[in-house]
Every structure is written in structure tokens, then in C-alpha cells.
């Protein structure tokens, strides 16, 4: 082959490998023929998980983000490796309730003889996440399906944003996933649910961060003296709404990476807009979740339909 042609071919291969947009095969009705009741089964299973534990919905949403952000939406975050070298090992704060919600939904899907071993764990995570959001009061968006499960999960493949990141770092991280600043701000609204360990924001309290409202600072000092966590949106911690943005306007964002979205003038306008328009936040969140769900998806060529979400087949 001519050297220029070789170079062009190499570039095409490389772009195909690193592209986060390998989403051609995803579609909403992917399982319509093989598992027509899929969405209803996952809906009902997630409903039961949410009744059992208030941590189920936030933990599931965070699980989806971490899975997609680490090595693509391939459920590799759920693999337990006998050597301990897996994405979990890196990400020690991922909560058990998220895993249990997915394992229960997978068991419910596989108990239907039509669906047994036909639906990927990655797709169950995506559907269970939508249910967690919508059953908490958030948008009920359409989920694209057809992801295959990865076979590998490695500690060192995990790159996640840091709670102390500034706007430039957050934008740089999300752009590697093919996501814009607006997508990033909408997705950060996922912090309308759940909690964070004090260790992630303790450096901000005690008057150390001028962007924090002093009464919120005092409140957090009291909270962390009693327990090791605080709610990311302490107005409505189990309701999916736009209070996350309204809190930021009042200096009541918990993580540095939350409050910086308001402190930095380049992102403040979007925060103000979502704080005033919950409907637009919901539709932008749905769009951004759909884009996040396309990151480095696997196909039959490089993935499988895992029987047990915790182990490769
Ligand atoms: C923008 C960059 C982000 C940073 C720096 C960040 C960081 C964190 C940290 C430090 C926690 C606390 C973990 C713990 O204490 O266990 C957390 C919790 C959480 N994150 Fe994020 N996160 C980011 C983006 C996202 C996105 C995009 C989503 C989903 C769309 C998300 C969903 C959640 C949820 C739901 C929780 C609560 C989990 C629970 O209560 O179990 N986060 N995040």
C-alpha cells in the first residue's frame, strides 16, 4: 500500500477505536422482538428497590455515570475481579444499593423465559437509571438500547472528575466523552439526588471557601460532627427537581465542582436558566443522558451479553 494510503487507513482505524460515538446500533426498540416486556419488568423491579432503600435511585444514577465515564457504557463497573483489579477497587465510594438494584432488575428480566440471557447488563443499567430518575420525579425519557457488555474491568482505566475541579477541568473531562459545557451542567443536576461523604467537601467548610453561604457552612460543620455525609441537595434530597441549581444561586452547593458552576461567570447563565426553568433542565438532562449513554458502546464484535452482571461469561 502507498504510504499515504497506509497513513489514512491507520488514522481511520484509530478514530474508530477512540471515538466515543460508536452508537450506530443503538435504538429504542432494540429488544421489541425478543423481550417485549423489558421496560415494564425493569420499571417494576426498580420501584421495589426504591421502596426497600432510599439510596437505590441516587446510587443507580451515579453507577451509570461512572460506568459510561470510565470505559464506556458496558457494565464493566459491575465486574468483580478475583485479583481486586477492577473499576470498583478504584471507585470505593460506589454504593452497594446501585449494584443490588441492577442485579435485582437483571434477575427479574431473566425470570421471563422470553428474555432470559438476551438483555445486556449495560442496557439494564441504562433502563434502571431512567426509572430511578423518573420515579424520583424527574424526566421520563426514551432510552436507546443495544449495548453489549464489556469483558474487562480495570482499576487503572478509571478517570473521573474530582470534586475540587474548576470549570476548565470539568469541561476538559466531559469533552473527552463528547459532551459540551451545557451537557455537563445539565448532568451535574444529577446531584439533585443523594449524598456525599464529608471527606469530599470538608476542605471547604469552616470559612475556607468564600463562595459558600456562611449559614450553610455552619450547618455542614454541625452535620459532619454528627455523621459522615451530607445531602447534595438538602432541600429535596430524594426528589429529582431543579433545587440543585437554586441552591447554587444561594451559595449552598455541596461540592466545589457544584458551586463553581455558579461562581464562574461562564457557566452562571446556564445555572440561572435551569434554576428558573425546570422543564428545560429536564429536557436538557434527558438529551445529555442519551449522549452519555452512547459513550464507547460495545457491539457483538467486542462484547457479550453477560449472564451474571458481576462476572464475564
Ligand atoms: C461534574 C463532575 C462530578 C463530580 C466531581 C462528582 C462527584 C461526586 C462525589 C464526590 C459524590 C459523593 C460520593 C460519595 O460520597 O459516595 C457524588 C455523588 C453523586 N453523584 Fe456525582 N459527580 C459528578 C458528576 C455526576 C454526574 C454527571 C452524575 C449523574 C448524571 C452524578 C451523580 C451523582 C449522584 C446521584 C450522587 C449521589 C450518590 C449517592 O447518594 O449514593 N454525578 N458525585
Amino acid at each position: 500500500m502507498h504510504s499515504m494510503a497506509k497513513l489514512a487507513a491507520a488514522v481511520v482505524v484509530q478514530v474508530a477505536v477512540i471515538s466515543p460515538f460508536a452508537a450506530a446500533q443503538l435504538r429504542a426498540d432494540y429488544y421489541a422482538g425478543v423481550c417485549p416486556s423489558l421496560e415494564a419488568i425493569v420499571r417494576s423491579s426498580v420501584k421495589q428497590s426504591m421502596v426497600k432503600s432510599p439510596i437505590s435511585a441516587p446510587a443507580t444514577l451515579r453507577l451509570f455515570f461512572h460506568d459510561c465515564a470510565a470505559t464506556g457504557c458496558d457494565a464493566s463497573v459491575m465486574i468483580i475481579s478475583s485479583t481486586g483489579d477492577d473499576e470498583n477497587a478504584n471507585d470505593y465510594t460506589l454504593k452497594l444499593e446501585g449494584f443490588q438494584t441492577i442485579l435485582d432488575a437483571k434477575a427479574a428480566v431473566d425470570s421471563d423465559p422470553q428474555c432470559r440471557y438476551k438483555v445486556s447488563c449495560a442496557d439494564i443499567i441504562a433502563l434502571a437509571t431512567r426509572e430511578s430518575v423518573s420515579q424520583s420525579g424527574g424526566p421520563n425519557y426514551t432510552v436507546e438500547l443495544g449495548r453489549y457488555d464489556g469483558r474487562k474491568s480495570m482499576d487503572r482505566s478509571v478517570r473521573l472528575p474530582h470534586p475540587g475541579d474548576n470549570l476548565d477541568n470539568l469541561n476538559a473531562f466531559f469533552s473527552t466523552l463528547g459532551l459540551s459545557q451545557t451537557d455537563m451542567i445539565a448532568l451535574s443536576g444529577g446531584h439533585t439526588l443523594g449524598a456525599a461523604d464529608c471527606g469530599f467537601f470538608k476542605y471547604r467548610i469552616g470559612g475556607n471557601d468564600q463562595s459558600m453561604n456562611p449559614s450553610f457552612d455552619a450547618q455542614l460543620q454541625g452535620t459532619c460532627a454528627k455523621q459522615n455525609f451530607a445531602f447534595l441537595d438538602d432541600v429535596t434530597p430524594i426528589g429529582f427537581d431543579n433545587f440543585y441549581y437554586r441552591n447554587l444561586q444561594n451559595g449552598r452547593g455541596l461540592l466545589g465542582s457544584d458551586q463553581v458552576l455558579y461562581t464562574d461567570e461562564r457557566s452562571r447563565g446556564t445555572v440561572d436558566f435551569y434554576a428558573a426553568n425546570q422543564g428545560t433542565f429536564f429536557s436538557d438532562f434527558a438529551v445529555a443522558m442519551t449522549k452519555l449513554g452512547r459513550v464507547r458502546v460495545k457491539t457483538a464484535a467486542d462484547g457479550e451479553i453477560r449472564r451474571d452482571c458481576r462476572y464475564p461469561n
Side-chain angles (χ1 to χ4, degrees), residues 19-31 73-74 120 122-123 143-149 293-305:
S19 170
F21 314 107
Q25 82 280 19
L26 295 184
R27 37 175 237 270
D29 64 351
Y30 186 83
Y31 295 103
C73 314
D74 64 354
S120 69
D123 282 341
V143 178
E144 295 178 338
L145 301 167
R147 299 168 189 81
Y148 276 69
D149 297 324
R294 292 176 186 160
V295 173
R296 295 190 187 92
V297 297
K298 301 217 163 29
T299 63
D302 56 353
E304 62 186 16
I305 306 290

Side-chain angles (χ1 to χ4, degrees), residues 10-283:
V11 169
V12 169
V13 169
Q14 205 180 0
V15 168
V17 171
I18 62 171
S19 170
F21 314 107
Q25 82 280 19
L26 295 184
R27 37 175 237 270
D29 64 351
Y30 186 83
Y31 295 103
V34 293
C35 183
S37 312
L38 175 61
E39 303 218 6
I41 296 171
V42 175
R43 184 169 305 126
S44 137
S45 177
V46 169
K47 191 173 184 180
Q48 289 170 39
S49 295
M50 286 173 65
V51 169
K52 272 190 240 157
S53 166
I55 300 165
S56 165
T60 303
L61 174 56
R62 185 159 183 254
L63 187 73
F64 175 71
F65 170 53
H66 285 208
D67 186 39
C68 294
T71 50
C73 314
D74 64 354
S76 52
V77 73
M78 292 193 68
I79 292 179
I80 299 168
S81 152
S82 56
T83 60
D85 174 30
D86 52 36
E87 289 175 30
N88 273 298
N90 179 296
D91 205 353
Y92 58 94
T93 57
L94 274 178
K95 305 224 171 69
L96 208 56
E97 282 83 350
F99 289 87
Q100 201 53 52
T101 302
I102 305 306
L103 293 175
D104 289 351
K106 168 79 168 161
V109 170
D110 286 345
S111 71
D112 180 321
Q114 253 190 303
C115 307
R116 195 167 168 80
Y117 301 148
K118 295 196 181 114
V119 183
S120 69
C121 298
D123 282 341
I124 291 176
I125 295 177
L127 282 172
T129 299
R130 190 269 313 272
E131 290 306 321
S132 300
V133 167
S134 67
Q135 294 189 38
S136 298
N140 188 8
Y141 54 94
T142 301
V143 178
E144 295 178 338
L145 301 167
R147 299 168 189 81
Y148 276 69
D149 297 324
R151 298 192 178 93
K152 282 187 301 210
S153 174
M154 278 176 306
D155 182 347
R156 64 179 172 278
S157 61
V158 179
R159 303 262 179 284
L160 289 168
H162 190 268
D165 277 351
N166 63 25
L167 186 69
D168 290 323
N169 292 339
L170 292 170
N171 278 334
F173 178 84
F174 280 81
S175 74
T176 65
L177 308 176
L179 298 171
S180 67
Q181 175 172 297
T182 306
D183 295 327
M184 182 272 288
I185 299 170
L187 287 175
S188 294
H191 286 174
T192 178
L193 295 180
D197 287 355
C198 292
F200 290 115
F201 58 83
K202 239 179 171 164
Y203 72 96
R204 302 184 65 218
I205 61 183
N208 289 328
D209 188 333
Q210 296 310 305
S211 67
M212 185 180 277
N213 181 318
S215 72
F216 188 50
D217 189 333
Q219 177 190 319
L220 289 177
Q221 290 182 54
T223 304
C224 290
K226 288 199 300 271
Q227 63 192 32
N228 193 32
F229 69 91
F231 293 119
L232 286 152
D233 160 14
D234 76 331
V235 182
T236 52
I238 56 165
F240 195 104
D241 53 30
N242 68 343
F243 268 99
Y244 168 78
Y245 302 103
R246 292 157 77 173
N247 294 337
L248 298 185
Q249 290 177 315
N250 295 318
R252 298 175 70 88
L254 188 64
L255 305 179
S257 56
D258 295 322
Q259 193 58 47
V260 77
L261 301 180
Y262 191 72
T263 316
D264 196 310
E265 286 176 9
R266 294 170 294 167
S267 44
R268 185 180 299 167
T270 310
V271 170
D272 283 335
F273 190 73
Y274 289 155
N277 299 281
Q278 181 164 276
T280 313
F281 161 49
F282 278 14
S283 53

